[in-house]
Amino acid sequence: MDIQENSINEIFENNPSQGTLYVLLSVMKENGRHNLVIRECLKALMRYPEDLTLRKILAETYLMDGRLVEAESEFGKVINGMKKLAGAYRSQAEIFVRQKREDDAISSLKKYIIFFPEDEDAAVLLEELLATSAVASIELSEKQISADISEAVEPGIADIMEAQESDAFPEIITASLAETYFDQGKLAEAREIYEKLLEKDTEDTSLQSRLDEISAMMEQKDEPEEIQAEDTARRKKERMISILDSWRNNIRDMAEGGVTASDI
């Protein structure tokens, strides 16, 4: 943008709008007119002291001009101004939680906590949402895998997977998942996961210690038979997820190659 000097001065002298200032000052900054930009930014900030865009242009110009002390001071003011507005992320997260939009709520809380790491309530809420999201992802994966299998192969393949259930160990099972179940009060499931993990790594003393703690807690807690039955069904469901997952790629290859259950 090629603007004559007298035209520039005339614009600045006639109290241009903030939008006009943003455009003109940015162009002048990129053209190396640092002194002019600094002067006009300071004048404009007397009229619009809370304008973070003007202050950011001023800070960037100081930096480009090598005036690091002034640049640091202005960038600090920009960040403090952003922090005043960042509380909106917390309110936005609350809206998303009420709408059951967990992923959006997680995204907003992560941004909020950058500015307010001391907010323990927000940190706890974020942790709970992340745990809920992990469990939901497992259930979604189960549904998708089941749909893939239904489309790819004949029903007889399910019988083969059922026969292999007792030998399957879910790749998705981790100590983090065990702790999620523990936090939800599902001690039996948490204990089973730790038992499986120990089968793969018998030398891990931390796993053994955690397993002993959970087992001791279960001995003190007499769960009703119906709850135990629900836990058993849920554990079976987790094992089936693993089986379906481990078979998925093979099943797709079989389907693409024209292999049916009768050929196995």
Side-chain angles (χ1 to χ4, degrees):
M1 182 183 296
D2 187 13
I3 307 177
Q4 295 182 355
E5 186 74 23
N6 59 342
S7 297
I8 295 173
N9 291 330
E10 184 178 353
I11 293 173
F12 283 134
E13 288 172 1
N14 283 280
N15 297 325
S17 66
Q18 288 164 280
T20 300
L21 282 171
Y22 300 156
V23 174
L24 189 56
L25 289 171
S26 295
V27 171
M28 295 297 101
K29 174 169 67 73
E30 295 304 321
N31 288 342
R33 303 289 299 277
H34 298 164
N35 290 335
L36 172 64
V37 174
I38 292 170
R39 183 190 73 200
E40 295 301 328
C41 275
L42 291 173
K43 285 172 54 179
L45 284 168
M46 294 180 67
R47 285 184 288 151
Y48 311 111
E50 302 299 323
D51 192 317
L52 297 183
T53 301
L54 284 173
R55 200 167 292 282
K56 178 174 176 289
I57 293 172
L58 175 59
E60 291 171 344
T61 306
Y62 277 140
L63 181 60
M64 293 173 69
D65 203 43
R67 298 169 63 172
L68 301 184
V69 174
E70 292 94 333
E72 179 182 2
S73 175
E74 291 302 323
F75 277 123
K77 293 174 183 177
V78 171
I79 292 171
N80 286 335
M82 292 169 61
K83 185 172 183 178
K84 291 179 181 179
L85 301 175
Y89 284 122
R90 183 69 177 83
S91 299
Q92 186 183 51
E94 179 63 29
I95 292 172
F96 290 147
V97 168
R98 294 184 183 185
Q99 295 176 336
K100 301 187 183 305
R101 296 163 59 186
E102 286 80 7
D103 290 343
D104 290 332
I106 288 170
S107 177
S108 294
L109 281 173
K110 286 181 177 179
K111 295 172 184 175
Y112 171 79
I113 288 176
I114 290 175
F115 291 95
F116 301 97
E118 71 281 2
D119 190 331
E120 295 182 1
D121 290 340
V124 169
L125 177 58
L126 176 58
E127 183 177 350
E128 291 175 351
L129 287 171
L130 288 169
T132 301
S133 179
V135 174
S137 295
I138 292 172
E139 294 177 350
L140 180 61
S141 295
E142 177 192 12
K143 292 179 181 178
Q144 184 59 53
I145 292 167
S146 298
D148 290 346
I149 290 174
S150 297
E151 294 175 0
V153 298
E154 296 179 0
I157 199 67
D159 296 332
I160 299 174
M161 290 188 292
E162 183 69 25
Q164 292 191 1
E165 179 183 342
S166 61
D167 298 326
F169 178 71
E171 294 179 1
I172 59 172
I173 288 184
T174 64
S176 296
L177 181 59
E179 288 303 310
T180 297
Y181 283 134
F182 177 81
D183 292 338
Q184 295 174 349
K186 301 172 183 176
L187 302 183
E189 294 186 1
R191 181 177 67 178
E192 182 178 16
I193 290 176
Y194 277 113
E195 288 173 346
K196 292 292 187 181
L197 291 172
L198 274 169
E199 289 178 7
K200 296 173 69 69
D201 187 1
T202 57
E203 302 299 324
D204 192 325
T205 57
S206 62
L207 292 175
Q208 183 63 60
S209 176
R210 189 60 174 144
L211 174 60
D212 292 341
E213 291 177 9
I214 294 174
S215 297
M217 292 176 65
M218 291 185 65
E219 290 178 0
Q220 299 175 5
K221 181 180 179 181
D222 185 16
E223 295 183 332
E225 291 184 0
E226 59 270 20
I227 294 179
Q228 295 178 5
E230 290 176 3
D231 287 342
T232 299
R234 194 178 293 109
R235 291 195 297 273
K236 181 177 180 180
K237 177 180 176 182
E238 290 291 348
R239 288 195 293 271
M240 285 302 298
I241 293 174
S242 174
I243 295 168
L244 294 171
D245 191 35
S246 64
W247 272 81
R248 179 172 55 183
N249 292 332
N250 288 338
I251 289 170
R252 285 176 175 168
D253 292 341
M254 290 161 53
E256 291 173 1
V259 179
T260 67
S262 61
D263 297 322
I264 300 176

